[in-house]
Amino acid sequence: MNGPSRRLFLQLGGLAALTAACAPRRKADPATFTLLRRRWREVTLGYPGTFDPEREPYRSRLARLGAQARRHRDTMTPTARSLWPDLPFPSLDATPARLRAMARAYALPGTGLTAEPGLGTAVAAGIEHYVRHVYAEDAEQTGNWWDWQIGTPRALLDAAVLAAAYVTDTQVAALCAAVDAFVPESRLDDYEGNSTGANRVDLCTVTLLRAIAGADPDRAALAVSALSPVFPYVTDGDGFHRDGSFIQHGSVPYQGGYGAVLLTGLATLFAVLRGTPWEITDPAAGTVLDAVDLAFAPFVHDGACMDLVRGRGITRGSYGDHRRGREIAAAVLLLAETAPEAERARWRAMVKGWAVRDTVKPMLTAAAQSDLAFHGRLSAVLDDATVPAAAEPAGHRLFPASARAVHRRLGWCAAVSMASSRVARYEHGNGENLRGWHTGSGMLYWWARGHGDHYSDAFWPTVDPYRLPGTTVSTRRLPDGAGGAWGDTRPPAEWVGGATDGTYAAVGQHLYGLESTLEAFKSWFFLDDTVVCLGAGITCRDGVPVETVVDNRRTGARLTVATGWAHLDGHGGYVVPAGRPLRTLREDRTAAGVTRTYTTLWLDHGVDPDAADYVYHLMPGAGPAETAARAADPGRARVLANTSAQQGIEVPSLGVTAVNFWTGGHAGLLTASGPCAVLVRDLGDGTATVTVADPRRALDELTVTWDRPVAAVTRGHPLLERAETGARLTLTFTAPADHEGASRTIAVRLVVSTT
């Protein structure tokens, strides 16, 4: 989905000229559509009620909008081959966008052109010209389908509705006929292809706009009923999964792209339709409210949306993560207006926290330049002393259905991006993200204090795509767009995921290289101040070196390398056991006219390695003394196993024992009968938790043994068939693969008494 902005700028009053032309099948109730028109104005334009046009920054921004609209009006020169001499023709994005901007200046106060007849007439003439020469009922749809069915009709309908007093019945009838040709009612019959998820919400929005333009109650009802397939949880493919994953294009995690579009669209529709005959009352719509906390908030860090859920959009210019973060924040505040009070209070505090902490691209300042409605809502929250600024929540969130994990601790945050037989290695399309090959090869993102722009400021055009942090890769050169487009790049790996108790986690990926013979087993153990990274079974026959990239930071900070550890000033520390040489590189990289400095640390496994391995600790935000002390204390996080059969660690100070069993077997005090992830945590108060997951979603039965005395299982689980306590704990689970979509959402978690 590409094209113009997803924000909707819809109408204020004066649709009398439109209603007859579009020929509704049932007689419209004028009062009902008057209400609907008012809601469009209040919700999408933010006026009245959201901001005062006489105050700054609104006064200046509205004046600039008016000046822009005046230039567009005065330079419009309709001919058979153009509408504006400076725009290519036909244009499916820029021309409708200009018409919409003119219509907004007509509809909003303070522009100097508010309700100005000449501007309204120019908008109407521009729409007529465009529908006659480009977006005609009998035109041939070429290029991207999205432009014809979503982007262009939505912008044109916006403009027509906003300047309705000057759009004639004939002009509206032609526009409606064109929309009906490219977005017929049958377009919403089947929930498949490019009519799912965010695309379906967009198509329903276009249908509702068409209903408003024609005062057509039947189309309004269709727009709402066709939303219903969006709401239920899915167990595969596009939509929301119970673990908080959101997928689009069948296999691409996309909260920071299509998901943000979906959330914005639904928040708008909920607000606009409230109190009308078409109010959204589907019981399954509660999924959207749940998604704010489960699907979106975990991937927003200090106001920016993490790139590992932004698909091909990561290459769309610098600071795209902050733009998407603002879009999500705007949608959350709008959704809060129709949500229950508890959610409303929690979300307002959450967004306030994001805004307060986003010092890289201050959210309020940026909103003033792009979205006055959001600026008004955010200003109200920031000025409200009764709304606290919520802190970043500590803990771990694992998303097995999208092969993602996010870990938050005091002062730092980390996230890992993987790929599986269900989740794409990366997405490219429309010429975007052609070198994102290894973003799903275990890329480990991390932020310490002051790092809010680390992946924002020209990172993607300048970073070495073969040396993304955390990845294990063959250095074989790949062509741009290697693998299938639109997320059709899934490896055969089944064991991808892990287990978490909500505080710590054991995460693993059976890695297969892209267009490569590379195979490896990678694990990350997320702790309080450290991520312990293990790799094993690293095998390749590509005839080139294989590397594990410990880190690749966009910085020229001082790097200290000592025996067993390294430290990067202002960033953090790395512990690498003695005898494993750490390679380093400082380089300036230039692309797209910008240059950035990178510091790279990696482990070289040589050409065609056979069962190579690695161990290193990442310590975000740590100082050199802390890093050196950790290197001198190897027993703090002791490696229990690091092979292609098991990878595990024990951390006595935290009471943590965690093992990823690639096959059944034994590691430390844990034994498993089959492939699984196990995390045991001794809480130090006479109890312990045992968390078990089946990432492959394949086990009919699983037995796990913890070789520690246990008195009783004090809180069980429906899948626990049998528990044997005493000198050791033996747990037998029935069909863990069948629970909540085959471990896509939660792991089996028990509480036991150790006294």
Side-chain angles (χ1 to χ4, degrees):
M1 177 166 44
N2 62 358
S5 169
R6 301 299 191 260
R7 296 185 184 91
L8 308 176
F9 299 101
L10 304 172
Q11 94 120 60
L12 46 85
L15 282 180
L18 302 185
T19 55
C22 294
R25 288 155 293 181
R26 287 191 294 118
K27 186 178 171 115
D29 178 355
T32 300
F33 277 91
T34 297
L35 171 64
L36 202 57
R37 293 193 299 270
R38 187 179 77 245
R39 284 286 172 76
W40 274 118
R41 181 183 68 228
E42 294 171 353
V43 172
T44 62
L45 294 184
Y47 184 83
T50 303
F51 63 85
D52 179 356
E54 297 299 322
R55 295 179 54 198
E56 293 293 354
Y58 312 109
R59 182 168 59 186
S60 297
R61 183 70 183 88
L62 290 167
R64 288 197 297 273
L65 176 62
Q68 178 190 52
R70 184 174 285 106
R71 288 193 300 271
H72 293 335
R73 180 197 63 188
D74 295 345
T75 57
M76 183 186 289
T77 309
T79 71
R81 302 187 65 83
S82 74
L83 187 54
W84 280 281
D86 64 321
L87 280 186
F89 196 80
S91 166
L92 289 171
D93 50 8
T95 301
R98 281 192 181 181
L99 292 171
R100 183 174 59 187
M102 293 166 63
R104 292 185 64 216
Y106 174 89
L108 281 166
T111 65
L113 293 174
T114 307
E116 200 272 324
L119 181 60
T121 300
V123 172
I127 292 171
E128 178 182 10
H129 179 274
Y130 197 79
V131 169
R132 177 182 300 159
H133 293 286
V134 181
Y135 197 69
E137 179 181 6
D138 58 353
E140 179 184 358
Q141 179 176 311
T142 58
N144 194 320
W145 71 272
W146 186 92
D147 292 312
W148 293 87
Q149 298 180 30
I150 294 175
T152 296
R154 190 165 63 189
L156 293 176
L157 286 165
D158 279 352
V161 172
L162 288 168
Y166 289 90
V167 184
T168 68
D169 291 358
T170 301
Q171 290 167 334
V172 173
L175 175 57
C176 289
V179 173
D180 293 348
F182 296 109
V183 192
E185 294 183 5
S186 60
R187 186 71 175 87
L188 300 175
D189 286 349
D190 299 317
Y191 192 69
E192 60 185 20
N194 53 21
S195 185
T196 64
N199 289 335
R200 172 56 71 99
V201 173
D202 278 344
L203 290 167
C204 288
T205 300
V206 169
T207 300
L208 183 62
L209 279 170
R210 167 62 175 80
I212 295 173
D216 187 336
D218 293 319
R219 284 187 184 272
L222 173 63
V224 173
S225 65
L227 285 172
S228 289
V230 174
F231 301 134
Y233 286 115
V234 300
T235 58
D236 192 37
D238 288 3
F240 289 109
H241 296 245
R242 289 188 181 275
D243 67 356
S245 298
F246 177 80
I247 299 291
Q248 192 88 33
H249 287 166
S251 62
V252 184
Y254 241 132
Q255 284 92 329
Y258 287 91
V261 172
L262 179 147
L263 190 67
T264 299
L266 289 177
T268 301
L269 294 177
F270 286 164
V272 168
L273 294 170
R274 179 168 51 93
T276 75
W278 306 289
E279 182 169 355
I280 299 171
T281 59
D282 189 327
T287 299
V288 180
L289 304 184
D290 295 340
V292 171
D293 298 300
L294 294 177
F296 292 96
F299 291 101
V300 177
H301 173 65
D302 289 353
C305 180
M306 299 177 186
D307 284 343
L308 67 165
V309 288
R310 296 208 304 119
R312 70 186 190 280
I314 58 176
T315 60
R316 293 176 185 169
S318 292
Y319 298 99
D321 52 351
H322 288 266
R323 286 192 294 274
R324 281 303 192 189
R326 290 194 298 273
E327 184 176 350
I328 292 171
V332 170
L333 286 186
L334 178 55
L335 191 63
E337 295 183 358
T338 56
E341 180 56 35
E343 281 76 11
R344 174 182 168 85
R346 184 171 68 254
W347 296 345
R348 284 163 58 88
M350 179 176 69
V351 171
K352 187 171 185 175
W354 293 346
V356 167
R357 292 190 300 275
D358 190 355
T359 57
V360 172
K361 289 290 181 180
M363 194 174 284
L364 191 66
T365 302
Q369 303 303 314
S370 60
D371 188 342
L372 295 184
F374 173 43
H375 187 281
R377 294 182 180 106
L378 182 59
S379 292
V381 169
L382 291 174
D383 293 341
D384 189 342
T386 68
V387 178
E392 286 265 304
H396 190 94
R397 285 294 311 278
L398 183 60
F399 301 85
S402 55
R404 300 292 188 265
V406 178
H407 189 71
R408 283 180 166 89
R409 302 301 295 170
L410 183 62
W412 64 280
C413 177
V416 65
S417 171
M418 303 171 287
S420 73
S421 61
R422 300 170 293 276
V423 179
R425 304 174 193 268
Y426 80 113
E427 182 198 44
H428 71 88
N430 289 337
E432 298 177 305
N433 199 33
L434 296 176
R435 297 184 177 182
W437 315 298
H438 299 304
T439 49
S441 297
M443 183 172 178
L444 182 60
Y445 302 73
W446 64 273
W447 301 261
R449 286 193 175 95
H451 294 177
D453 66 342
H454 185 77
Y455 304 101
S456 309
D457 183 13
F459 177 85
W460 291 106
T462 57
V463 73
D464 185 342
Y466 294 95
R467 285 179 169 164
L468 299 179
T471 61
T472 297
V473 299
S474 163
T475 57
R476 177 183 179 183
R477 302 296 97 171
L478 294 171
D480 287 358
W486 309 109
D488 188 18
T489 57
R490 288 174 286 183
E494 297 291 338
W495 205 124
V496 177
T500 179
D501 63 358
T503 301
Y504 305 126
V507 178
Q509 175 184 19
H510 185 182
L511 174 69
Y512 291 88
L514 174 62
E515 296 188 0
S516 166
T517 61
L518 175 67
E519 184 177 0
F521 297 85
K522 294 172 68 70
S523 289
W524 300 265
F525 299 94
F526 291 92
L527 305 173
D528 52 354
D529 62 356
T530 311
V531 184
V532 178
C533 306
L534 304 185
I538 303 170
T539 302
C540 190
R541 293 293 178 267
D542 289 353
V544 297
V546 172
E547 299 174 352
T548 293
V549 184
V550 173
D551 215 339
N552 196 356
R553 301 296 282 176
R554 186 184 54 75
T555 182
R558 183 179 66 176
L559 175 67
T560 301
V561 179
T563 301
W565 62 276
H567 183 265
L568 192 57
D569 278 5
H571 291 259
Y574 311 88
V575 175
V576 180
R580 296 175 182 264
L582 182 65
R583 304 283 299 276
T584 65
L585 174 69
R586 178 69 54 80
E587 64 176 340
D588 291 336
R589 296 183 58 83
T590 301
V594 297
T595 300
R596 296 293 182 266
T597 300
Y598 285 84
T599 300
T600 312
L601 303 88
W602 78 97
L603 300 169
D604 188 350
H605 303 299
V607 176
D608 292 343
D610 185 10
D613 60 19
Y614 65 82
V615 177
Y616 68 90
H617 298 197
L618 168 67
M619 300 179 65
E626 297 170 83
T627 306
R630 187 61 50 83
D633 184 16
R636 185 182 185 278
R638 184 168 65 91
V639 175
L640 300 176
N642 188 25
T643 70
S644 57
Q646 296 92 30
Q647 291 176 309
I649 66 168
E650 181 181 46
V651 188
S653 62
L654 300 179
V656 169
T657 303
V659 180
N660 288 330
F661 290 92
W662 304 105
T663 64
H666 174 78
L669 300 178
L670 291 174
T671 303
S673 63
C676 65
V678 182
L679 174 67
V680 177
R681 186 174 168 208
D682 188 334
L683 301 179
D685 61 358
T687 66
T689 59
V690 180
T691 307
V692 179
D694 172 19
R696 296 187 314 137
R697 314 174 187 181
L699 295 174
D700 294 323
E701 184 176 275
L702 174 67
T703 298
V704 173
T705 300
W706 184 31
D707 197 6
R708 278 278 305 274
V710 169
V713 175
T714 58
R715 187 164 72 235
H717 191 280
L719 296 182
L720 179 61
E721 180 182 1
R722 186 172 62 257
E724 300 176 17
T725 58
R728 64 180 56 84
L729 175 67
T730 300
L731 304 170
T732 300
F733 302 96
T734 301
D738 294 335
H739 185 65
E740 295 285 3
S743 196
R744 299 172 196 212
T745 57
I746 66 169
V748 177
R749 186 167 180 263
L750 312 173
V751 178
V752 301
S753 172
T754 57
T755 58

